[in-house]
Amino acid sequence: MNFDGKVVIVTGGTRGIGLETVRAFASLGAKVILFGSKEETVNKAVETLEGEGYRVEGFYPNLSNYEEVLETITKIKNKYGKIDVLINNAGISANKKIEETSSEDFESIMNLNVNAMFNVTKAVVPFMKENKDGVILNTSSMVSIYGQPSGVGYPASKFAVNGLTKSLARELAPFNIRVNAVAPGITKTDMVASLPESMIEPLIKTIPLGRIGEPRDIANAFLFLASDMASYITGVILSVDGLAMN
Ligand code: NAD
């Protein structure tokens, strides 16, 4: 598999699943542009990847602001001439019970996990249409299939991600733009890595494959879905969770 000459944008690319996804595409020849929420974390991620020998670039537009997103996307298109792959990965989670969840909490999770995905996708689609080619990949979650017993905004947002994915797959297929999502199970990013062994062990017992996911497991799924090997796949929510339940 190679992505030589491909221009790939990854939102939430500064750490965790996103950072590993940037690394995976860059190692296969893509020109990768990562987005993060702050200048400082974006610069740190770019520095880390450059130290590993990859050429990447970083931006930190406010993803809630369509005009700001469009300005950044247009800058990228003008510099590289096209955008081949968009990976909408930025996301936050929640775990409060409904009585403790404020309207602002609910709005802020929908704002990043859904509205920001809409904004970036809307900005990129005209350029992909112009090119009659493109791949849009969204990070969903296992909770978009099962729900979760607290933090209702998080599964609600990921069900919406699946809705965006399936609907845009149908809308954009005539323009040779494929839209798919990856639904990770529990994955060893900063949040999970900081949990004590006593919490991780019982979780692992519920996973038939006997381990929690690595960011690389999710990055591999993105590589496959972005590649020509998946050229006849669109509108799919691909579970990458070791659960053997789909
Ligand atoms: P993470 O917290 O390590 O990384 C989140 C990324 O999102 C960071 O790059 C951060 O800069 C970006 N981000 C956060 N708030 C932002 C904001 N307001 N504006 C712009 N960017 C912002 O998380 P992760 O575990 O790597 O999660 C990445 C994606 O995977 C998320 O969509 C998450 O819902 C999903 N996911 C994670 C797991 C898991 O177990 N880790 C499981 C299922 C789904």
Side-chain angles (χ1 to χ4, degrees):
M1 200 182 281
N2 98 60
F3 288 91
D4 284 343
K6 297 287 184 188
V7 179
V8 179
I9 297 175
V10 181
T11 74
T14 60
R15 55 177 199 259
I17 290 168
L19 178 64
E20 194 56 31
T21 300
V22 173
R23 190 176 273 125
F25 278 90
S27 72
L28 292 174
K31 171 72 213 177
V32 192
I33 298 102
L34 65 90
F35 286 5
S37 55
K38 294 191 213 98
E39 180 175 11
E40 188 193 336
T41 50
V42 165
N43 288 345
K44 187 170 160 248
V46 169
E47 216 172 277
T48 302
L49 291 158
E50 283 179 348
E52 294 169 16
Y54 303 122
R55 274 186 49 240
V56 296
E57 200 173 347
F59 292 93
Y60 40 93
N62 175 0
L63 301 185
S64 306
N65 180 327
Y66 173 69
E67 296 306 324
E68 208 176 298
V69 169
L70 180 62
E71 195 183 312
T72 306
I73 296 288
T74 305
K75 209 183 281 175
I76 294 166
K77 151 75 165 96
N78 290 343
K79 181 163 176 188
Y80 297 104
K82 59 176 183 162
I83 294 162
D84 295 295
V85 180
L86 165 64
I87 303 183
N88 283 307
N89 168 74
I92 45 172
S93 64
N95 57 20
K96 290 187 207 161
K97 296 289 179 195
I98 189 159
E99 298 91 330
E100 289 137 29
T101 302
S102 65
S103 310
E104 291 75 20
D105 290 337
F106 189 82
E107 273 165 27
S108 88
I109 200 157
M110 296 302 278
N111 195 26
L112 180 65
N113 294 9
V114 185
N115 299 10
M117 183 176 282
F118 168 81
N119 286 339
V120 185
T121 303
K122 182 174 156 74
V124 162
V125 159
F127 299 129
M128 287 186 171
K129 277 190 174 176
E130 196 180 297
N131 217 18
K132 293 190 176 52
D133 194 24
V135 175
I136 298 170
L137 301 174
N138 299 325
T139 308
S140 182
S141 167
M142 66 192 282
V143 306
S144 76
I145 297 153
Y146 310 115
Q148 68 179 25
S150 61
V152 67
Y154 185 59
S157 72
K158 294 299 187 180
F159 272 78
V161 167
N162 293 1
L164 277 171
T165 303
K166 286 177 175 282
S167 297
L168 286 174
R170 297 181 67 173
E171 181 176 333
L172 300 174
F175 304 94
N176 194 32
I177 299 170
R178 297 186 295 107
V179 188
N180 292 295
V182 174
I186 303 160
T187 308
K188 202 189 277 175
T189 58
D190 287 354
M191 188 184 70
V192 176
S194 65
L195 296 175
E197 269 304 289
S198 58
M199 275 185 79
I200 300 284
E201 276 306 313
L203 284 176
I204 291 176
K205 288 207 172 72
T206 67
I207 303 171
L209 279 180
R211 64 177 178 87
I212 61 172
E214 297 290 335
R216 185 69 205 200
D217 294 317
I218 314 306
N220 285 342
F222 282 133
L223 288 176
F224 166 67
L225 288 171
S227 76
D228 288 342
M229 290 171 82
S231 62
Y232 201 48
I233 300 176
T234 195
V236 158
I237 315 299
L238 178 62
S239 288
V240 182
D241 58 14
L243 288 179
M245 280 171 72
N246 295 285

